[in-house]
Amino acid sequence: MIAFSLRLAVSGGREALARLAMIAAAVAIGVGLLLSTFASVNAIGRANERQLWMNSGTKGRTEAPAAVDPLWWYAHGDFYDGKELFEVEVAPTGPTSPVPPGLTRLPAPGEYYASPALEKLLRDVPAVQLGDRFPGRLAGTLGDAALPSPDSLSVVIGRTADEVRAGPHARQITTIATALPAECDNDCYGHGERGDAMTLILTVVAGALIFPVLIFIGTATRLSAATREQRFAAMRLVGATPRQVSVVSAVESTVASVAGTVLGFGLFAALRPVVATVPFTGSRFFPSDLTLTAVQALGAVVGVPVAAALAARFALRRVTISPLGVSRRVTPKPPGAWRMVPLLAGLGELGYFVDHRPATTNGQSAAYLTGFLLVMLGLVIAGPWLTMVAARAVARRTSRPAALIAVRRLADDPKAGFRSVAGLVLALFVVTSTVSIIGTINANRGALSGDPEVRKAVVHTPSDLFRSDPMGTVPDSVLASARAVPGFRGLALAHDNPAGFGREYHGPDPMPAPALVLCSELAQTPVVGHCAPGAAVALVPLWQFVDLREASSREWPAAPVSAQEAAALPVRMIYTTTDGSSAAMEQLRTLFTVAYPTYEARMAGDWGTASQKQLQGWRQLANVVLLTTLPIAGCSLAVSVVAGLSDRRRPFAILRLTGAPLRLLQRVIGLESALPLLVVAAISIGTGFAAAAMFLKSQMEYDLVSPGALYYGLTGFGLLASLGIIASTLPLLRRITGPEAARNG
């Protein structure tokens, strides 16, 4: 029977082969995109795993006893031109000290190993801007096993034990970390995207992308459903059993789906290098990270053909009841209002978690993913009922023949009417919720880059601003070198305030007393503020030097000390202003880092670098959602409308023979597709805004920020393009509704 079914599947001439090819192509596109989504989520996990070694030595980690020589370890961060660097200084105490991944041996004092991206940067950038920060010579390349991304800037530096021990968070370790520590403090690195909203958003979006893809595949497998129903009903009339008809139908759909699945894996392999370049997390992936788990691959190999066979079996449920099932079609039972329950339940779940957010990341992922998937499932389930309600409302207010035919058919069979636009409705929900979430995060966190004038400054500060000991006296040679940097504008030293002047004015402990700043130097750095008239020394809070807002209009109170007394006190911080050029700021950063290697030279943009990197990834993710879901939905719409025309060509041909003009029939088709599209799309967009608002309030305590003009423009363009797709199929009506269709349909 299976062999006969295979011959029958391709025996219909060009039409049958074209139908199989179209189903296979649709399945291939859906499978390729679905596998790429799965692989991207997997790649994030693998990238995170490869940077866990950076947590070696963090205070929240428990060292396992080992019979090895301890390794002195001091890990810290650095920056270059808005890019984050990870640096670790090591000093072995014996030949068996542990070695980080990506290395075959530890660097000796005066040597360092750099990642490929950092090596290239060192070659391209003058040493005074970057290379001078790393003493000695480049001994080799840090391997991929230690890098989360090809863009990672990482370096392992060899030092003496005394040099490493001087680091503020230096510790002896006996093992290299392979997991996150129990506590993640300021000295915790390599935690990647774990425990962050990025993981939650990616999880929700990955689940959201599945629905439009599955609808696309389901739509494709229903091509020429009516024609096949008639053929299978004829087989029943000549003696075929319901089981035999089901086998023929399943084999026909499964053949195309299997071919499409194979092509989908090929498409995934072709897309993998392209997907690897998409910076979902702000950095590219290694192509080798874009792999599938056995469960995911097996699920696609087995699940897609099985789903296609089930869809074919479900589509022919009327034929298996009776051989005359196709001829004796009756009005389906109208959908009930209960279909709104899943949609309301999904929104209710998201609303519940606004005030009851789960404590763990896994709990949050499960809660939000379940809520979003339930909302999407609810839109699909509620769509036919909403279509029926809209159609009946229009029917009561129109008398035009085309409108009456269209809305009466929609009211009689709203499931068929909604099916053609289901993919686009879900795509609009996914796009609306994703863009709203990402846009709101960008609006709330985008200010981390600082005011324009603040971004031109470099501040050299202890890693622990409020509790570390001061630097001491800054040598005149360092100050002279700083002033000689091209692009230098001004310099102010924040001196220690051991007497505690102004403490009562600037807050209680643990906030330290304000710094003492010479007014002659404060005049060189007006972005920090200015002195009172006649004052020689000002009391400036330490937080002002790291504030992202400029304070040029702020007048700081005078300190009851002379300029000579203040200048003799130790320095806590060096604040330098420049012309804003990257070369000037990075040269000053390198100069201060070499002079005070256990302190941090920061710029205003550095405080927001990690956040900006993540925001860039989120913006890219929003673009991916837009560029993925809308085309998929458009393909689903086109395939569904064409399939609907093909399935109903005989009724339309008969209407044309009885005198109905072609333009009337075209308006009927257009209204049947446009009405559910516009009505349910409006509800889908509103639901997307509501779901995004509840997620943001629950997870981040942000109020929803309206998306920009780009979103509304793209959404409007998507709806117009969808209407254009519908209109582009209407000329087919003339070709497929000729007199021969009435005889042979």
Side-chain angles (χ1 to χ4, degrees), residues 98 194 209 246 378 439 602:
R194 296 174 185 263
L209 288 174
S246 297
R602 289 288 189 98

Side-chain angles (χ1 to χ4, degrees), residues 322-698:
S322 165
L324 301 178
V326 175
S327 301
R328 297 188 298 103
R329 291 178 181 173
V330 296
T331 300
K333 183 180 178 180
W338 65 266
R339 288 175 169 269
M340 289 294 294
V341 172
L343 176 60
L344 297 176
L347 292 174
E349 179 183 348
L350 292 175
Y352 171 80
F353 288 114
V354 170
D355 296 319
H356 303 84
R357 187 179 71 172
T360 65
T361 300
N362 289 337
Q364 293 165 15
S365 297
Y368 301 130
L369 180 60
T370 302
F372 274 86
L373 293 181
L374 191 57
V375 169
M376 286 186 288
L377 183 63
L379 286 171
V380 174
I381 294 175
W385 183 80
L386 294 170
T387 300
M388 181 189 68
V389 171
R392 289 179 176 178
V394 174
R396 289 193 294 267
R397 292 171 172 80
T398 185
S399 58
R400 294 177 179 273
L404 281 173
I405 295 174
V407 297
R408 288 300 183 188
R409 181 178 181 275
L410 285 175
D412 288 343
D413 192 4
K415 294 181 182 178
F418 174 74
R419 188 183 300 125
S420 63
V421 300
L424 187 66
V425 166
L426 283 182
L428 288 173
F429 170 80
V430 172
V431 169
T432 299
S433 56
T434 303
V435 172
S436 297
I437 290 171
I438 293 172
T440 299
I441 296 172
N442 285 338
N444 282 273
R445 297 187 180 178
L448 289 176
S449 58
D451 289 336
E453 289 303 314
V454 176
R455 290 200 296 268
K456 298 178 181 180
V458 179
V459 54
H460 199 62
T461 173
S463 58
D464 189 339
L465 178 62
F466 299 134
R467 292 181 176 84
S468 296
D469 294 332
M471 301 176 184
T473 302
V474 180
D476 292 338
S477 59
V478 173
L479 298 178
S481 297
R483 294 187 174 98
V485 170
F488 170 86
R489 289 292 181 267
L491 183 147
L493 302 178
H495 294 272
D496 198 20
N497 182 3
F501 298 122
R503 183 186 295 277
E504 70 285 353
Y505 177 74
H506 292 287
D509 290 333
M511 184 73 70
L516 303 176
V517 183
L518 302 184
C519 289
S520 58
E521 295 177 350
L522 199 59
Q524 302 175 29
T525 57
V527 67
V528 180
H530 59 272
C531 290
V537 180
L539 294 167
V540 183
L542 288 174
W543 54 258
Q544 181 58 58
F545 293 98
V546 295
D547 198 348
L548 299 178
R549 296 164 297 181
E550 63 96 14
S552 56
S553 61
R554 185 71 179 267
E555 181 178 286
W556 300 112
V561 295
S562 65
Q564 293 76 13
E565 291 172 326
L569 293 170
V571 174
R572 274 191 171 273
M573 202 176 301
I574 305 174
Y575 192 88
T576 313
T577 57
T578 70
D579 60 359
S581 65
S582 174
M585 292 190 289
E586 294 302 337
Q587 187 170 343
L588 286 168
R589 190 205 299 269
T590 301
L591 171 66
F592 294 140
T593 298
V594 172
Y596 298 95
T598 60
Y599 293 78
E600 298 178 350
R602 289 288 189 98
M603 304 172 193
D606 296 343
W607 272 273
T609 291
S611 178
Q612 290 297 321
K613 177 182 175 182
Q614 195 174 68
L615 293 180
Q616 178 187 354
W618 289 346
R619 295 186 191 103
Q620 187 66 45
L621 181 60
N623 294 335
V624 170
V625 171
L626 285 168
L627 296 175
T628 301
T629 55
L630 289 179
I632 291 175
C635 292
S636 296
L637 179 62
V639 170
S640 183
V641 173
V642 171
L645 286 174
S646 177
D647 291 344
R648 296 158 58 202
R649 59 183 176 180
R650 190 182 186 199
F652 282 134
I654 294 174
L655 284 173
R656 286 193 65 188
L657 288 175
T658 58
L662 181 63
R663 185 172 297 275
L664 174 68
L665 300 182
Q666 290 176 337
R667 285 199 293 267
V668 169
I669 294 295
L671 287 171
E672 284 181 0
S673 301
L675 181 61
L677 169 65
L678 297 177
V679 171
V680 187
I683 296 173
S684 177
I685 291 172
T687 303
F689 282 131
M694 288 184 282
F695 172 82
L696 289 164
K697 196 67 175 178
S698 171

Side-chain angles (χ1 to χ4, degrees), residues 27-37 260-261 263-265 267-268 271:
V27 172
I29 294 172
V31 170
L33 292 173
L34 191 61
L35 296 180
S36 297
T37 302
T261 301
L263 292 174
F265 274 86
L267 181 62
F268 162 67
L271 287 176

Side-chain angles (χ1 to χ4, degrees), residues 231-253:
R231 183 176 64 185
F232 295 146
M235 293 173 61
R236 289 293 316 281
L237 287 172
V238 298
T241 65
R243 180 181 180 85
Q244 290 172 328
V245 170
S246 297
V247 170
V248 172
S249 171
V251 168
E252 186 177 22
S253 295

